């Protein structure tokens, strides 16, 4: 299985980099993992609705340029479906059985994802109604993907 994670924004915090590196190492046993880090659009703190849409559209075009046509796209979106860890494991197993060997998870920037990216997504996944920093979401996503592989392989992992 090929897992791609497209994330907007650079990871600057050392503790997040260390955690991401740890889960990349752990996941190497189960899948080919590629993390694509895209520059976020620079924007002032206060933006009009139109300016926010412009920023999301620019980031969206960068994201879409990195998605392979054959990839099953899972967008992380606050209004997506909430799944338990076991349900995510089932989803990933089902995708593999159905021949989807390329899965791309997309994490937007601080303003979220453009409508164009959301429309390209085959599935929208929400981790919570809460808002998390997009850099931290990368680590949380990697941990859950790792957990899914452990569940699907009937291997122990802390609960």
């Amino acid at each position: 299985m090929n897992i791609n994670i497209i994330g907007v924004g650079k990871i600057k915090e050392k503790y997040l980099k260390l955690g991401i590196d740890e889960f990349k190492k752990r996941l190497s046993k189960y899948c080919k993992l590629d993390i694509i880090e895209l520059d976020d659009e620079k924007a002032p703190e206060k933006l009009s609705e139109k300016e926010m849409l412009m920023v999301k559209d620019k980031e969206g075009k960068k994201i879409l340029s990195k998605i392979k046509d054959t990839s099953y796209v899972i967008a992380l979106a606050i209004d997506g479906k909430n799944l338990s860890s076991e349900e995510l494991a089932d989803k990933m197993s089902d995708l593999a059985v159905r021949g989807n060997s390329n899965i791309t998870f997309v994490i937007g920037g601080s303003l979220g994802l453009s409508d164009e990216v959301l429309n390209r997504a085959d599935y929208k996944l929400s981790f919570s109604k809460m808002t998390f920093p997009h850099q931290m979401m990368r680590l949380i996503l990697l941990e859950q993907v790792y957990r899914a592989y452990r569940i699907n392989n009937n291997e122990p992992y802390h609960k």
Side-chain angles (χ1 to χ4, degrees):
M1 172 91 47
N2 298 308
I3 303 285
N4 301 296
I5 297 176
I6 300 174
V8 175
K10 299 275 187 223
I11 304 290
K12 298 174 186 81
E13 297 83 356
K14 187 176 180 180
Y15 73 97
L16 290 175
K17 286 182 182 181
L18 289 170
I20 288 167
D21 288 344
E22 177 62 26
F23 282 105
K24 281 169 58 176
K25 184 174 75 179
R26 291 182 188 190
L27 280 164
S28 67
K29 174 181 172 182
Y30 302 102
C31 66
K32 181 181 177 295
L33 176 68
D34 191 19
I35 297 177
I36 302 161
E37 200 171 68
L38 303 173
D39 289 333
D40 50 356
E41 288 296 314
K42 302 297 175 227
E45 200 64 32
K46 300 267 189 230
L47 292 175
S48 69
E49 193 70 32
K50 185 178 179 184
E51 290 169 321
M52 281 195 271
L53 283 173
M54 286 172 52
V55 168
K56 287 198 308 188
D57 284 344
K58 284 182 185 177
E59 290 176 349
K61 287 186 185 345
K62 289 181 200 177
I63 291 167
L64 291 169
S65 75
K66 301 295 181 184
I67 297 174
K68 296 179 179 117
D69 289 341
T70 57
S71 195
Y72 186 91
V73 178
I74 299 175
L76 273 59
I78 205 160
D79 64 342
K81 184 152 174 53
N82 282 299
L83 299 177
S84 68
S85 297
E86 293 80 9
E87 288 170 330
L88 178 60
D90 287 345
K91 176 82 176 158
M92 290 177 63
S93 177
D94 185 57
L95 288 170
V97 167
R98 293 178 184 272
N100 292 300
S101 59
N102 290 301
I103 299 174
T104 299
F105 290 93
V106 180
I107 304 170
S110 59
L111 299 176
L113 294 167
S114 70
D115 287 342
E116 200 173 2
V117 172
L118 292 171
N119 290 334
R120 169 60 181 91
D122 297 293
Y123 192 83
K124 289 186 229 168
L125 175 64
S126 174
F127 276 73
S128 172
K129 293 292 180 201
M130 291 186 255
T131 302
F132 296 102
H134 51 280
Q135 297 91 340
M136 190 175 287
M137 267 321 299
R138 202 173 305 174
L139 176 58
I140 294 168
L141 173 62
L142 283 169
E143 189 280 334
Q144 285 298 302
V145 169
Y146 175 70
R147 185 180 294 269
Y149 277 108
R150 298 291 290 193
I151 290 167
N152 286 336
N153 286 291
N154 296 313
E155 297 171 349
Y157 191 58
H158 60 81
K159 294 183 181 207

